[in-house]
Amino acid sequence: MGERKEVFVTVGTTCFDKLVAAVDSEPVKAALFCRGFSHLKIQIGHGNYFPSKVSRQPGALEVDYFTFSPTIADHLKSASLVISHAGSESIFETLRLGKPLVVVLNEDLMDNHQAELAEELASRKHLFIARGPHLLAVTIERMDLELLVPYKPGEGEGDQINTSLKLTSPCEGSANKQEKGEGALISKSKAKKGTKKAAQRHQDRAAISLARGSEYDENDPLSSSYGNIPLEDLQSKFITGRTWTDVGELCAEMKGETVLIRGAAQAIRPTSKKIVFLVVRQSMSTVQCILVVTKDVISPQMVRFATSLSKESIVDVEGVISVPDKPITGATQQVEIQVRKLYCISRAVPNLPFNIEDASRSETEFKKAEESGEQLVRVGQDTRLNNRGLDLRTPANQAIFRVKSAGVNKGRQFLLSKNFVEIFTPKVIAGSSEGGAEVFKLDYKGKPACLAQSPQLHKQMTICGGFDRVFEVGPVFRAENSYTHRHLCEFVGLDVEMELKEHYYEVCDIVEELFVEIFNHLNDNCSKELEYSPKRLTYDEGVQMLKEAGVEIEPMGDLSTEAEKKLGKLVSDKYNTDFFILTKFPLGIRPFYTMPCYDNSEYSNSFDVFLRGEEIISGSQRIHDPEMLTKRAEQCGIDVETISTYMDSFRNATRLHGGFGAGLERIVMLFCGLNNIRKCSLFPRDPQRLTP
């Protein structure tokens, strides 16, 4: 068998044990092989079924099983035949691609609504119906692939009919069914005898279907109350003056009011042919919407349209607020919307890269499931980050970046209240701002340049320019090859610089006030309470605590990640705080601009701030004397010529000053108790990730 002809089986998430067993049976595989197919690929969805349960009897077909594929469209495109149950959303994509499709019908495999959906789809000419798994082999044996052509709007006169369906052409309507009988066969020659009028009617219906959605029915008197909004109408065509309501504002006091909302279709749950529940999400708020077939209000076609929506599609819902007797557990808002109008603004692909429900589960849910023997789908971090636009929709991510925004805004308000001026410094500079090799180098119009490791040099130059207190919130770049849970190559930095009157502890005072203010604000809106009564220790005191606990530290060396975590635990146990400052670090492990201690030049006037055992802030008094600064820069291996404008700023005299820099992602990670800093970066950049 030279040519590779694939059969793709898409089973979705419901009742697929029976369908897989039918497809994997010897009669079906033999029938497929006899029809010239060489490969059978079975998709197993998000349910509790595992490939090990599928029989692997030796046969003529090469059979592959996989639990999920984010590129399901590629499988559909490469397939010569698709087999599906009536509830799979891949049906519509298959029909759009013009692929031969076998839909398996059976009461055990679907609810009544899905069966009705499949019956309606039976009017499509390139669809085969197997009325039960036990008839699948017979259907495959008898289907006439030679007469099968993809459906294309506008080819009504030459459309060919699939004789094995025992169905009429959409061009010829139901009259032919009555004349021929439901079981009559329609030949290729008869199909070509359709009149031009019938062909035009078919073309018009196809155009309407494409514009309004596959469930649109031109004969439905309520058809204007639902459907897909044409793109033209979304190109800023109208200003209607309609009033929109945020989902988060919906409340019991609005009972009886008509509202208009827009959001994502988070869940679609049909309970019968006449009722469907739709959960719509906007940001972090969700509301349950109900469609019930009601004369002159909701048609069966409208219910089917709602059910045909793919999850995460963007919809407009208009309806009346009602208040149920019992609490609603599946949505944040304790009201329901009795839908009157439903329109799709943007339809999501049938098979998303991952299920939002799976991505939204907490570690607590996974632990409980493991204890009960249930296996849940866990969405991996790379899959999430590769599809960040979808991943950000989960409640946890929505919360993380709201915490980050709230923290930044509160910090900004505090600093402004303390007479700090917000500044904005360049990110492309001539030389390293921190020293070391952790710098991204680039060509700047034929000149060597680099991305700023911090706004440090320009903060100090601003102080030299007569500003007493400045701060900046902006991107920071570090070309370090750190593959850890707490390092990024680009992060958002909060940098502060200020005049000192006497002592660098003045900076420590600002740090404590600032973060107590931020943590107070966040704790008012966050369930993760943090113990943060500030405690100050010297570097030597911290090292001594570690030694007494049996942890050896390299003399005058920096603290390792493990040592930081251990010290955090020791401080928490002894002083009952998760937030402490370590001062007077060895000079040799600090940047070149750090001021040495007056009484011991091996130490520096510097500090680090720790939260839950990890460093979040680094600061110090800065060297303001140009000769001392030049000497320190040379000792640290920095080419003074590359920072000459910075050095010259100090030759015009400047005031004592100091400051600090904080990484916002790390602060949010530790405050929220997360295990990876990438969760706190909107689109993280690390040594291996440059997209999306």
Side-chain angles (χ1 to χ4, degrees):
M1 192 177 295
E3 181 185 1
R4 179 184 178 98
K5 294 182 67 177
E6 293 184 355
V7 179
F8 180 55
V9 182
T10 173
V11 295
T13 60
T14 58
C15 303
F16 44 78
D17 293 301
K18 294 182 180 180
L19 178 56
V20 171
V23 174
D24 198 47
S25 67
E26 286 306 311
V28 171
K29 288 194 289 188
L32 289 171
F33 183 70
C34 290
R35 299 310 305 272
F37 296 103
S38 59
H39 290 74
L40 176 62
K41 298 168 69 176
I42 301 177
Q43 177 210 10
I44 298 172
H46 292 292
N48 295 321
Y49 185 87
F50 298 99
S52 59
K53 293 184 180 179
V54 181
S55 64
R56 296 179 179 270
Q57 303 170 7
L61 285 177
E62 179 180 320
V63 185
D64 295 318
Y65 310 95
F66 55 94
T67 56
F68 180 72
S69 173
T71 56
I72 189 170
D74 293 336
H75 292 297
L76 293 173
K77 290 176 183 177
S78 65
S80 301
L81 175 68
V82 177
I83 300 175
S84 175
H85 70 75
S88 174
E89 293 178 341
S90 298
I91 286 177
F92 297 102
E93 179 70 8
T94 305
L95 294 173
R96 187 185 70 78
L97 293 171
K99 294 289 184 178
L101 172 66
V102 175
V103 173
V104 181
L105 302 181
N106 189 282
E107 281 188 14
D108 293 334
L109 288 176
M110 68 200 71
D111 60 30
N112 292 333
H113 174 78
Q114 292 171 328
E116 184 181 34
L117 174 63
E119 293 290 356
E120 181 164 323
L121 289 173
S123 63
R124 308 296 183 108
K125 293 185 297 303
H126 49 303
L127 178 72
F128 302 95
I129 300 293
R131 301 186 182 279
H134 59 293
L135 296 177
L136 183 56
V138 175
T139 303
I140 293 170
E141 290 171 356
R142 295 181 180 178
M143 61 186 183
D144 193 341
L145 292 173
E146 296 301 321
L147 297 183
L148 192 65
V149 294
Y151 166 69
K152 294 181 180 178
E155 296 184 356
E157 288 185 271
D159 283 339
Q160 300 176 6
I161 310 302
N162 166 27
T163 60
S164 63
L165 268 180
K166 301 181 181 180
L167 295 170
T168 62
S169 163
C171 299
E172 297 175 328
S174 59
N176 278 336
K177 288 188 180 181
Q178 295 171 358
E179 289 179 19
K180 306 289 184 180
E182 183 67 29
L185 297 179
I186 300 175
S187 67
K188 178 180 179 182
S189 60
K190 275 198 172 185
K192 290 184 176 180
K193 293 180 181 179
T195 63
K196 288 185 177 181
K197 185 176 181 180
Q200 184 60 48
R201 184 165 64 251
H202 177 65
Q203 182 176 353
D204 292 343
R205 287 179 178 177
I208 292 172
S209 177
L210 288 173
R212 299 300 304 275
S214 59
E215 300 302 322
Y216 175 76
D217 185 344
E218 64 180 348
N219 297 317
D220 181 8
L222 298 174
S223 59
S224 63
S225 296
Y226 64 94
N228 295 329
I229 300 297
L231 179 60
E232 178 185 349
D233 291 349
L234 300 172
Q235 293 179 275
S236 298
K237 185 177 181 180
F238 307 109
I239 299 178
T240 65
R242 293 178 295 172
T243 300
W244 298 82
T245 303
D246 287 340
V247 171
E249 296 176 354
L250 300 176
C251 59
E253 287 72 19
M254 302 172 69
K255 181 179 180 180
E257 295 183 19
T258 298
V259 296
L260 176 62
I261 66 170
R262 176 172 292 173
Q266 177 172 291
I268 304 150
R269 298 192 300 270
T271 60
S272 71
K273 293 186 291 185
K274 297 183 178 182
I275 302 176
V276 61
F277 290 85
L278 177 68
V279 177
V280 176
R281 184 188 69 251
Q282 181 189 11
S283 298
M284 298 180 69
S285 303
T286 53
V287 64
Q288 184 164 269
C289 307
I290 306 175
L291 291 87
V292 180
V293 173
T294 308
K295 185 178 180 180
D296 298 330
V297 179
I298 302 292
S299 65
Q301 295 93 323
M302 187 173 177
V303 170
R304 288 199 296 272
F305 171 77
T307 307
S308 75
L309 292 169
S310 50
K311 288 183 178 181
E312 294 303 304
S313 293
I314 306 302
V315 295
D316 286 352
V317 177
E318 183 176 316
V320 179
I321 296 291
S322 64
V323 181
D325 295 331
K326 297 180 180 179
I328 300 173
T329 59
T332 62
Q333 307 309 113
Q334 293 303 301
V335 298
E336 294 176 329
I337 297 179
Q338 304 299 323
V339 178
R340 298 295 178 260
K341 295 181 180 180
L342 174 66
Y343 304 104
C344 183
I345 301 301
S346 177
R347 189 178 285 265
V349 295
N351 293 83
L352 297 169
F354 53 81
N355 193 321
I356 293 294
E357 183 181 3
D358 294 335
S360 300
R361 294 191 178 104
S362 65
E363 288 300 320
T364 302
E365 290 177 274
F366 282 112
K367 186 176 181 180
K368 288 182 179 178
E370 185 178 343
E371 292 173 351
S372 64
E374 181 184 3
Q375 184 166 344
L376 299 176
V377 174
R378 184 186 289 270
V379 183
Q381 181 167 277
D382 282 342
T383 300
R384 287 175 178 270
L385 296 181
N386 290 339
N387 301 277
R388 193 62 158 161
L390 183 63
D391 182 44
L392 289 174
R393 302 181 189 184
T394 64
N397 281 324
Q398 290 282 316
I400 287 169
F401 293 102
R402 279 169 169 76
V403 167
K404 189 174 182 179
S405 175
V408 170
N409 287 331
K410 194 62 181 178
R412 178 179 281 113
Q413 292 172 14
F414 172 82
L415 291 170
L416 292 173
S417 73
K418 295 294 183 179
N419 298 320
F420 282 83
V421 176
E422 186 169 9
I423 60 173
F424 308 93
T425 62
K427 303 308 166 193
V428 179
I429 60 178
S432 170
S433 52
E434 295 290 332
E438 298 167 354
V439 59
F440 287 105
K441 297 180 180 180
L442 53 89
D443 178 83
Y444 188 78
K445 302 294 184 180
K447 299 178 182 178
C450 60
L451 296 178
Q453 295 167 293
S454 77
Q456 183 59 45
L457 307 187
H458 293 89
K459 283 194 306 177
Q460 291 185 254
M461 292 169 70
T462 306
I463 296 295
C464 292
F467 287 83
D468 295 335
R469 295 181 162 195
V470 298
F471 76 97
E472 179 175 12
V473 179
V476 173
F477 303 91
R478 301 287 172 89
E480 54 188 353
N481 291 319
S482 297
Y483 301 85
T484 73
H485 75 284
R486 65 175 190 166
H487 286 94
L488 291 171
C489 290
E490 178 185 352
F491 58 89
V492 179
L494 169 60
D495 282 86
V496 172
E497 205 72 18
M498 56 183 281
E499 178 190 9
L500 300 180
K501 298 301 184 184
E502 296 179 338
H503 201 286
Y504 76 97
Y505 276 10
E506 295 166 32
V507 182
C508 294
D509 293 338
I510 287 292
V511 169
E512 291 179 350
E513 290 181 58
L514 169 64
F515 282 93
V516 166
E517 186 83 5
I518 291 174
F519 294 155
N520 275 335
H521 177 70
L522 295 180
N523 273 334
D524 288 340
N525 303 278
C526 180
S527 61
K528 291 183 177 294
E529 293 295 330
L530 181 73
E531 295 295 335
Y532 54 89
S533 302
K535 176 65 180 178
R536 292 187 196 179
L537 301 166
T538 65
Y539 168 87
D540 285 344
E541 288 172 336
V543 168
Q544 184 60 34
M545 289 178 67
L546 288 170
K547 288 182 177 179
E548 291 174 358
V551 179
E552 289 299 322
I553 302 296
E554 179 184 352
M556 305 297 283
D558 208 351
L559 300 182
S560 65
T561 301
E562 293 73 18
E564 287 182 0
K565 289 183 177 180
K566 182 63 176 179
L567 182 58
K569 180 66 167 56
L570 295 172
V571 172
S572 178
D573 291 343
K574 186 173 182 178
Y575 300 105
N576 193 32
T577 182
D578 296 311
F579 180 51
F580 67 96
I581 299 177
L582 212 58
T583 65
K584 205 171 182 180
F585 276 79
L587 183 64
I589 59 175
R590 306 303 283 194
F592 75 93
Y593 50 76
T594 305
M595 179 69 78
C597 283
Y598 74 95
D599 57 348
N600 188 340
S601 60
E602 291 187 355
Y603 288 87
S604 62
N605 294 344
S606 62
F607 62 90
D608 279 357
V609 181
F610 295 83
L611 181 64
R612 286 183 168 149
E614 295 196 40
E615 177 251 313
I616 58 170
I617 296 171
S618 186
S620 71
Q621 179 183 357
R622 321 304 193 186
I623 297 174
H624 63 279
D625 180 80
E627 283 69 31
M628 180 185 289
L629 189 60
T630 301
K631 182 178 179 181
R632 278 286 299 151
E634 291 173 345
Q635 290 175 347
C636 292
I638 295 175
D639 184 356
V640 179
E641 289 299 318
T642 63
I643 55 173
S644 59
T645 54
Y646 164 75
M647 304 295 290
D648 290 343
S649 298
F650 297 93
R651 302 188 192 283
N652 300 320
T654 189
R655 291 166 288 179
L656 302 180
H657 61 285
F660 63 88
L664 293 182
E665 287 83 357
R666 191 177 293 184
I667 293 172
V668 173
M669 175 186 74
L670 295 169
F671 181 85
C672 295
L674 302 175
N675 61 3
N676 198 300
I677 197 171
R678 290 158 185 80
K679 295 179 179 179
C680 305
S681 175
L682 204 61
F683 299 98
R685 295 291 179 261
D686 60 29
Q688 295 179 314
R689 181 168 292 279
L690 191 57
T691 59

